[in-house]
Amino acid sequence: MGRPAQQGENTPQESLTVRDNRTGKVYTIPIADNAIPATAFKAMAAPRKPGEREENETEKGLRVQDKGFLNTAVIRSEITYIDGEAGVLRYRGYPIEQLALHSSHLETAYLLIYGSLPTKDQFKFFESEVMRHSVMHSDAEGFFRSFRYDAHPMSMLTSAFAMLGSYYSEANPSLQGQRLYTKGDRASLETMDRQIYRLIGKATTLAAMAYRVRQGRNFVTPPTGLSYTGSFLYQMDHLGEENYTPNPVLEKALDVLFLIHADHELNASCTTVLQTGSSLVDPYSAIAAGCASLYGPLHGGANEAVIRMLISIGSPENVPAFIEAVKKKEKTLSGFGHRVYKTSDPRSFIVRKTADEVFKVTGRDALLDTAMALHDAAMKDEYFIKRKLAPNVDFCGLIYRAMGFPLDFFPVLFAVPRVVGWLAHWRQMMLQDGGVKIWRPRQVYVGPAKRDYVPVEERAPVEGPKQTPSRVEHGGITKRTMLATFKGKL
């Protein structure tokens, strides 16, 4: 941790020397793995200046402010490495390009969760456990039927993950003890692995049930003898045909897309899973929280946004006008640029190859020409080059569209494989040295200083945008009720 440096003291080379100009003190902060502990700055206290707000807590040490976690590391991880400048993505050291070419989603799931590529027997055991745990309790049918016919599938999936936790009391630390998943002994690991099998196995089943609700179809029991993605397609599409088998090209394409979406380090949804999991809640609740985070248009909803953008552009000849509108900030460009990657997303090349294979079976999507025209125009335009807005993986929505999935199902196709990554990071945190500390970020309070309560008759009105509740327009029953007279009306 940081401490004041003594005069004449030899300063370690792997350290950071900080001089606090408020006090003149010099602090030495150790550097490990090119990172410094943020808690070291707590030692850098200073007297409060005359007139300074007490809420700044100056005498309690410095706080590190990092809005949006732009440069904050919250955990030491062995799972996924990303070099955004070079366009590199590796799972446990293996380049994503090699895994997409040679591996499968479930084999990669084993790698992400347990740290190594499985042997033939290890994989056979893992696959059989995942597939064996794909069948849902019959009560789940009533749960899904309770949703409106037009409910968004991500709302259903998020709720379903939370609902799962109610079935397994043995998996709940609130009932079985808070060290249920952190002991690291055999019984603890067995309990943890059982929930991993369940969540990965049932993810496709829950997603398929959400899909069938929207289609007005009866639910399908997971079949035997099919692959993970083959079973998923079967559950979504089977209508009673004898010996039904999904198209192998579509099955393989979905498996590749699942693999490249399985993990992406500490993105918004993974961080949400860990933030929630740090309270030692059951994994089903943590995964549901991650699913809710992924639902947002800045995250898992980006695939859907890309297709809606391409539809709005229409034909390739409209691309130049759209590009100019983007530069004037009149339009939003989706599918380009990434919070991490400052060059092309390495997964985008895999997506392009996968798209070619799918289009051979389904036919070429008319929006592909528009997408390529947009890609070429942006890659040649200095405006986008300067801002490093290269195309990213969100163009895989074209594949989903070609395969016949509705737009609002795209985030589900992102969430199902990402369950693997969420579980890998959750498991790592549960088993980390030193146990689990609840995640409790600091804030920089800039609100009012202490003030005394004012009686209602003495208050002056405070009005203006964002300072008062908005008035909303009422219709139907509410409007007529507001116009009616009745006892107790406010």
Side-chain angles (χ1 to χ4, degrees):
M1 295 299 155
R3 60 182 179 83
Q6 302 298 320
Q7 190 171 5
E9 182 180 15
N10 291 327
T11 303
Q13 186 175 1
E14 287 298 309
S15 65
L16 179 71
T17 300
V18 178
R19 176 185 175 87
D20 189 341
N21 292 324
R22 301 171 303 175
T23 62
K25 292 182 179 179
V26 177
Y27 299 83
T28 299
I29 303 174
I31 298 175
D33 295 323
N34 194 36
I36 60 173
T39 51
F41 290 90
K42 290 188 68 175
M44 301 179 192
R48 194 191 315 166
K49 295 181 296 184
E52 184 180 6
R53 293 159 47 88
E54 64 174 316
E55 290 82 8
N56 284 350
E57 302 180 351
T58 307
E59 68 281 3
K60 296 181 181 180
L62 278 177
R63 294 163 293 188
V64 179
Q65 184 175 348
D66 185 8
K67 185 178 180 180
F69 303 119
L70 295 176
N71 193 36
T72 296
V74 295
I75 199 167
R76 296 173 66 86
S77 179
E78 301 176 354
I79 299 171
T80 295
Y81 173 72
I82 298 173
D83 183 342
E85 296 291 336
V88 170
L89 172 60
R90 300 181 196 139
Y91 291 168
R92 299 281 189 174
Y94 295 96
I96 193 66
E97 297 86 352
Q98 293 184 22
L99 293 171
L101 183 62
H102 302 294
S103 188
S104 66
H105 175 61
L106 278 189
E107 183 182 70
T108 298
Y110 186 106
L111 169 68
L112 286 167
I113 296 168
Y114 300 105
S116 61
L117 288 170
T119 64
K120 185 176 181 179
D121 288 341
Q122 288 173 329
F123 176 71
K124 183 178 179 180
F125 168 79
F126 178 69
E127 182 183 37
S128 66
E129 286 297 333
V130 168
M131 301 307 290
R132 184 177 292 117
H133 285 86
S134 63
V135 179
M136 283 297 303
H137 192 286
S138 59
D139 286 351
E141 180 170 347
F143 173 83
F144 275 96
R145 292 297 181 202
S146 69
F147 286 94
R148 279 176 54 92
Y149 69 93
D150 59 350
H152 196 290
M154 278 297 283
S155 295
M156 289 189 271
L157 185 63
T158 301
S159 303
F161 278 128
M163 174 269 295
L164 268 186
S166 67
Y167 284 94
Y168 309 115
S169 60
E170 78 278 8
N172 193 335
S174 296
L175 301 175
Q176 304 301 329
Q178 67 180 44
R179 295 197 61 212
L180 179 62
Y181 296 113
T182 61
K183 293 178 185 177
D185 59 17
R186 180 174 179 178
S188 178
L189 292 174
E190 287 178 354
T191 300
M192 178 182 287
D193 284 339
R194 184 182 294 272
Q195 313 324 312
I196 289 173
Y197 303 149
R198 284 170 171 164
L199 277 160
I200 298 175
K202 297 183 192 305
T204 51
T205 306
L206 296 175
M209 293 179 80
Y211 182 82
R212 300 281 286 203
V213 167
R214 293 293 300 276
Q215 301 299 314
R217 306 291 187 183
N218 292 326
F219 301 124
V220 176
T221 301
T224 58
L226 293 180
S227 70
Y228 187 72
T229 51
S231 173
F232 184 34
L233 289 169
Y234 181 98
Q235 292 178 70
M236 285 189 290
D237 300 336
H238 185 233
L239 295 176
E241 301 90 344
E242 188 174 354
N243 298 326
Y244 183 90
T245 304
N247 183 282
V249 175
L250 303 187
E251 180 181 352
K252 174 61 177 177
L254 197 58
D255 189 78
V256 171
L257 294 178
F258 275 17
L259 185 156
I260 66 174
H261 281 124
D263 190 50
H264 209 234
E265 204 221 58
L266 291 194
N267 49 63
S269 57
C270 183
T271 304
T272 302
V273 169
L274 296 183
Q275 175 90 49
T276 307
S278 73
S279 73
L280 298 182
V281 72
D282 68 271
Y284 301 95
S285 298
I287 295 301
C291 197
S293 176
L294 187 139
Y295 190 2
L298 291 183
H299 193 8
N303 278 326
E304 183 179 346
V306 168
I307 299 302
R308 295 192 187 281
M309 174 192 69
L310 293 175
I311 292 173
S312 71
I313 295 172
S315 58
E317 55 265 24
N318 296 330
V319 166
F322 178 80
I323 290 288
E324 293 304 314
V326 169
K327 293 179 185 179
K328 295 175 183 176
K329 303 189 184 304
E330 298 172 353
K331 298 282 187 179
T332 300
L333 181 67
S334 301
F336 285 76
H338 197 280
R339 169 70 176 268
V340 174
Y341 297 113
K342 304 309 176 186
T343 181
S344 291
D345 184 331
R347 299 171 296 176
S348 65
F349 302 105
I350 302 168
V351 168
R352 181 79 64 86
K353 182 179 178 182
T354 304
D356 290 339
E357 297 299 318
V358 170
F359 293 156
K360 289 178 184 177
V361 174
T362 63
R364 185 182 177 90
D365 191 318
L367 288 182
L368 180 62
D369 292 333
T370 303
M372 295 312 301
L374 181 62
H375 169 275
D376 294 342
M379 292 296 284
K380 296 174 184 176
D381 195 297
E382 191 64 25
Y383 177 90
F384 299 99
I385 295 173
K386 280 184 177 180
R387 290 163 175 77
K388 297 184 178 180
L389 293 176
N392 62 47
V393 76
D394 291 324
F395 273 90
C396 67
L398 286 169
I399 300 177
Y400 294 147
R401 176 178 154 98
M403 292 175 69
F405 292 113
L407 283 180
D408 60 5
F409 201 70
F410 289 4
V412 173
L413 297 170
F414 196 172
V416 168
R418 187 55 60 86
V419 167
V420 166
W422 293 337
L423 288 171
H425 288 273
W426 171 78
R427 181 180 186 271
Q428 177 180 250
M429 184 173 73
M430 292 297 109
L431 300 178
Q432 67 186 355
D433 293 338
V436 178
K437 295 183 182 298
I438 191 167
W439 289 19
R440 177 62 168 85
R442 297 295 307 278
Q443 67 168 7
V444 177
Y445 178 74
V446 295
K450 180 182 177 182
R451 49 184 177 174
D452 294 323
Y453 182 82
V454 179
V456 64
E457 61 273 5
E458 298 177 20
R459 298 172 198 164
V462 178
E463 298 181 353
K466 302 181 182 179
Q467 294 181 297
T468 55
S470 301
R471 294 189 178 276
V472 296
E473 185 176 339
H474 295 281
I477 295 175
T478 302
K479 184 174 183 178
R480 294 189 296 273
T481 302
M482 292 170 67
L483 297 172
T485 57
F486 51 88
K487 183 179 181 180
K489 182 177 181 180
L490 295 177

